[in-house]
Amino acid sequence: MHTEPSPARTLRRAFLRELWASLHIVWPILWGLLAIMAIIGGLVGWLENWSLGDSLYFAYVSGLTIGYGDLSPTQPATKLLAVSLGFTGILLTALLGAVAVQALSRCKSDFAARA
């Protein structure tokens, strides 16, 4: 016996399809922001004499505004780089949020048109 999928499941699948399609469009910008974060984090780590792993960890934890505080820059130049890392992380978060909202609005309008 075959049952129809629930409307919520259909909407979820449509959202994921739209999200994936939208991510393909902004992929170069997304990769660029991730690369900028890695480069800035590497530079901060190099100036602070951190390992590469600690540098990348600092870059993404700080860039995503989590900031555990276990690693923190001590020099004025690295503090300034950390601020730019935060701005880059905000751009990354805003881009992902905008893509998700766009995907949801597309699949929602398609779903409403079918109903």
Side-chain angles (χ1 to χ4, degrees):
M1 181 172 165
H2 180 62
T3 61
E4 288 290 319
S6 70
R9 184 174 185 167
T10 304
L11 185 59
R12 242 186 339 265
R13 286 184 177 177
F15 168 72
L16 291 174
R17 272 194 304 275
E18 287 292 335
L19 181 64
W20 186 249
S22 298
L23 283 174
H24 279 304
I25 295 169
V26 298
W27 201 247
I29 299 168
L30 184 64
W31 272 108
L33 290 171
L34 289 170
I36 289 169
M37 289 175 73
I39 291 167
I40 293 172
L43 185 56
V44 169
W46 178 68
L47 291 170
E48 292 286 343
N49 294 317
W50 296 340
S51 70
L52 180 60
D54 282 347
S55 300
L56 292 176
Y57 167 78
F58 171 77
Y60 293 110
V61 166
S62 297
L64 295 173
T65 66
I66 298 168
Y68 293 121
D70 51 348
L71 294 172
S72 57
T74 58
Q75 304 170 29
T78 55
K79 289 178 182 180
L80 186 61
L81 286 169
V83 169
S84 67
L85 188 59
F87 284 129
T88 306
I90 290 170
L91 289 174
L92 176 70
T93 304
L95 176 66
L96 291 174
V99 167
V101 167
Q102 180 68 25
L104 185 59
S105 68
R106 282 185 185 167
C107 73
K108 185 179 171 191
S109 64
D110 290 347
F111 190 74
R114 281 189 248 151

